[in-house]
Amino acid sequence: MSAPVSPGLRSGSLPLLVALMTLLAGLSLAGLTGVQTLAEGWAGAARNATTIEIPSDTPQLEDRTRALIQTLNKTPDVTTVRELSPQQVQTLLAPWLGQVSDSGHLTGLSLPVVLIVAHTGTPDLGKVVHEALPEAVVEEDRRWGERLNGLGSSLVACAWLAVSLIAAIAVLSVGMTVRRSVMAQRKAVEIVHFLGAGDVTISSRIAGRAALLSLAGGLAGLFFLSPVITMLARKLAPFSHDAGPAALPATTWQTMLASWWNTLHVLPRLLLEELGALPLIAACLGWLTAQTVVLVWLRRLP
Amino acid sequence: MIRLLNVSMMPPGVGQPVLRNLTLTVPQGEFRWLLGPSGAGKSSLLRLLTLETRPSAGQMDLLGVSVSQASRATLRNLRRRIGFVPQDYRLIGEWTVFDNVALPLRLRGASERDTRREAFAVLEWLDVAHLADKRPGTLSGGEQQRAAIARALIGRPEVLLADEPTNALEDAQARRLLATFQELVDMGTTVIVATHNEALVREAPATSIVLQDGTLAGADPQDGIAARRSDGT
């Protein structure tokens, strides 16, 4: 242990406070990353796809559909043109148009032909389709993508606001704890000050301790956060494009560990990095806050 | 050298000054008794000289530095050149006696080896080396006072200020302490000792600074400061 030249920080509650803040910040970051990933995935998929609907009463439906598929395949930037099977169309429309009959058909309705065109860039498919088959309806999924993007951005902004609020509350809590500790050791701080200890010497010792306690709190928060994040990730996995390996049923501690490890692979790398950085960020915030609080307090002394 | 010119001190929230128009000079390497009845302003003057507070008015120079205009960094460096034995000892309760005594040297950046050697030398001289690992709270008043004296003496300060440094000491220890103060003066340290102990003052006659109601109570014709010689000359 280094030789003392200034009183340290007395606070048993600081690690607990920081652990709670880390837990909250981690959950907010997980929510943020989840929303971001889902929104980007959905918007990305929608941005690069166009749905074409050809009414069932179109004359020479089959021939003209085939001709349109050939035309689309030759169009620059179009990567694939996929015709949905009648079964797929029925499944797609079932929620809006009613029950599928026992034979697998929607009762009393003739179904349109639905083409899904995947493309890169933004080809003007509306013009191509209109020239080849004027009866067809072109649904630019890009518009949905933009809406999803807007929704995603709002949710991301809310999540960032939550993270910022948590950081602000953490800073306030650490600040008050440090101030209480300084007040409790006021006499000792004054003694070392009047013996010639520099302000930074005094504040650095307290800040160093605050950083250590915050780091410990951050690590503890991360420890308690991991099962919660794992559980949430397993719930969200079906919605993710990178679902990864399926979660194993947790029966023994080995399968629980294996399941936890599998779920870790499902989590986006960015989220893992952010969560890993939380204890370090907590330590930095603790250090900075303690430095500021102590330096400001010391300004009262001559 | 210590030089005060028309110095007044009015603590915040107090209606009237506790020190008024104080003018005095103490050349480097001299000894002064600081005398006066309770409430005369002795502790306030020591607070000024230990840089715990700045004068409300007037000019104060300490070791060639104008305290009134000095920056915080300058005051910090100045404090490291001053040794102080407070009446209430002001030892840090959570630290050992050794750490308390070693603090001034550590703040000056001395090596741990030198700090240890010097701290134990001064603790042994004051017969409290065996208490080095104890906490101040477990010591008697006299032992705490000797620890506070050790902290003030370590590193041979250029100015040594002491507030009733012998009130918890036995006579022999008090005389030995006075002899040490004299040795420091001989080596060029300015020493000011506030006391009520008239027997001690009679034993070591020297120029005195006598305070009464926050002002100097007499004039010393030799150095022009308002003071009187304690031996009656």
Side-chain angles (χ1 to χ4, degrees):
Chain A
M1 197 181 147
S2 66
V5 287
S6 171
L9 178 72
R10 273 194 222 156
S11 174
S13 61
L14 189 61
L16 182 67
L17 265 173
V18 176
L20 283 172
M21 294 300 159
T22 306
L23 194 69
L24 284 174
L27 285 174
S28 302
L29 280 175
L32 168 71
T33 311
V35 167
Q36 243 170 352
T37 309
L38 290 179
E40 276 169 16
W42 288 339
R47 196 165 39 243
N48 297 321
T50 300
T51 305
I52 299 167
E53 193 184 308
I54 306 166
S56 56
D57 55 357
T58 303
Q60 301 168 313
L61 180 63
E62 277 188 28
D63 293 344
R64 293 177 71 193
T65 299
R66 207 160 296 119
L68 176 61
I69 290 173
Q70 281 172 1
T71 308
L72 286 170
N73 276 325
K74 287 175 194 160
T75 307
D77 292 336
V78 169
T79 49
T80 57
V81 180
R82 186 164 62 94
E83 181 182 350
L84 294 189
S85 67
Q87 188 66 37
Q88 285 172 317
V89 175
Q90 284 161 19
T91 310
L92 193 68
L93 296 178
W96 289 274
L97 299 181
Q99 289 294 315
V100 179
S101 67
D102 291 342
S103 59
H105 289 77
L106 284 165
T107 47
L109 279 174
S110 52
L111 296 172
V113 172
V114 177
L115 305 178
I116 306 290
V117 183
H119 51 78
T120 57
T122 51
D124 189 359
L125 292 182
K127 193 179 168 194
V128 175
V129 173
H130 193 70
E131 282 172 3
L133 215 158
E135 296 90 338
V137 177
V138 177
E139 181 67 55
E140 289 284 0
D141 293 3
R142 186 170 47 230
R143 268 179 266 150
W144 286 104
E146 284 162 5
R147 286 172 195 166
L148 279 173
N149 235 352
L151 176 68
S153 299
S154 317
L155 290 172
V156 165
C158 286
W160 272 121
L161 187 67
V163 171
S164 307
L165 274 174
I166 291 164
I169 293 169
V171 165
L172 273 176
S173 309
V174 173
M176 285 195 291
T177 306
V178 169
R179 195 177 151 74
R180 264 201 307 273
S181 172
V182 171
M183 291 304 284
Q185 300 184 92
R186 185 188 178 131
K187 274 186 94 172
V189 172
E190 285 179 354
I191 289 170
V192 295
H193 174 78
F194 290 123
L195 284 173
D199 291 358
V200 175
T201 305
I202 297 172
S203 63
S204 293
R205 188 168 161 88
I206 293 174
R209 184 89 182 128
L212 259 180
L213 291 176
S214 300
L215 182 68
L219 288 171
L222 203 58
F223 178 78
F224 289 113
L225 179 70
S226 54
V228 181
I229 292 281
T230 309
M231 194 186 71
L232 288 176
R234 287 167 72 170
K235 295 243 182 244
L236 282 174
F239 298 97
S240 171
H241 288 272
D242 310 313
L248 298 171
T251 49
T252 63
W253 67 270
Q254 287 101 330
T255 51
M256 273 176 75
L257 265 182
S259 170
W260 177 79
W261 185 249
N262 281 345
T263 311
L264 265 186
H265 287 89
V266 177
L267 297 176
R269 190 180 169 78
L270 179 67
L271 175 63
L272 288 177
E273 286 171 359
E274 284 171 348
L275 293 181
L278 274 180
L280 293 175
I281 293 169
C284 289
L285 276 180
W287 187 88
L288 262 177
T289 308
Q291 276 280 8
T292 309
V293 168
V294 179
L295 285 175
V296 168
W297 190 86
L298 286 171
R299 299 304 295 180
R300 298 151 36 133
L301 301 178
Chain B
M1 184 162 90
I2 297 169
R3 196 171 69 89
L4 274 68
L5 187 64
N6 292 322
V7 164
S8 294
M9 181 186 153
M10 187 154 73
V14 179
Q16 56 183 19
V18 289
L19 294 175
R20 281 173 305 188
N21 295 323
L22 220 55
T23 297
L24 62 88
T25 304
V26 182
Q28 192 61 30
E30 292 219 358
F31 184 93
R32 293 286 186 274
W33 290 113
L34 178 57
L35 306 174
S38 295
K42 298 192 300 293
S43 295
S44 298
L45 179 57
L46 287 177
R47 284 190 68 208
L48 267 185
L49 296 176
T50 53
L51 306 173
E52 283 184 44
T53 183
R54 296 200 205 208
S56 316
Q59 175 74 32
M60 179 172 134
D61 293 346
L62 193 57
L63 295 169
V65 176
S66 172
V67 171
S68 312
Q69 281 96 43
S71 66
R72 284 176 72 83
T74 307
L75 288 184
R76 182 192 65 212
N77 291 331
L78 205 50
R79 286 186 184 110
R80 293 179 185 177
R81 298 161 69 187
I82 299 170
F84 180 43
V85 185
Q87 199 171 2
D88 55 358
Y89 319 134
R90 293 192 206 167
L91 297 167
I92 297 173
E94 291 81 5
W95 295 3
T96 62
V97 167
F98 172 78
D99 283 332
N100 271 283
V101 172
L103 181 60
L105 279 190
R106 284 176 173 158
L107 288 174
R108 285 186 219 171
S111 72
E112 200 51 31
R113 195 174 151 207
D114 289 347
T115 301
R116 204 168 173 77
R117 186 169 42 77
E118 283 207 40
F120 272 100
V122 73
L123 284 170
E124 271 166 22
W125 186 86
L126 287 159
D127 290 332
V128 280
H130 61 290
L131 304 172
D133 293 330
K134 301 256 192 232
R135 309 250 171 213
T138 63
L139 309 183
S140 70
E143 288 167 338
Q144 287 189 49
Q145 188 159 42
R146 280 183 279 163
I149 293 167
R151 187 182 58 191
L153 293 180
I154 196 168
R156 204 166 68 75
E158 291 169 65
V159 172
L160 180 70
L161 306 161
D163 196 358
E164 304 285 358
T166 58
N167 63 357
L169 298 185
E170 292 167 11
D171 288 348
Q173 289 171 333
R175 271 187 226 107
R176 211 168 150 206
L177 185 62
L178 274 182
T180 306
F181 286 165
Q182 191 53 56
E183 279 174 34
L184 285 171
V185 168
D186 293 343
M187 286 190 282
T189 299
T190 304
V191 178
I192 298 178
V193 179
T195 187
H196 281 110
N197 190 337
E198 289 185 9
L200 199 68
V201 174
R202 275 196 300 275
E203 216 164 287
T207 306
S208 301
I209 300 163
V210 184
L211 293 178
Q212 181 84 48
D213 294 329
T215 56
L216 286 173
D220 186 317
Q222 281 193 340
D223 56 9
I225 65 165
R228 72 170 169 83
R229 291 189 72 86
S230 56
D231 55 359
T233 58

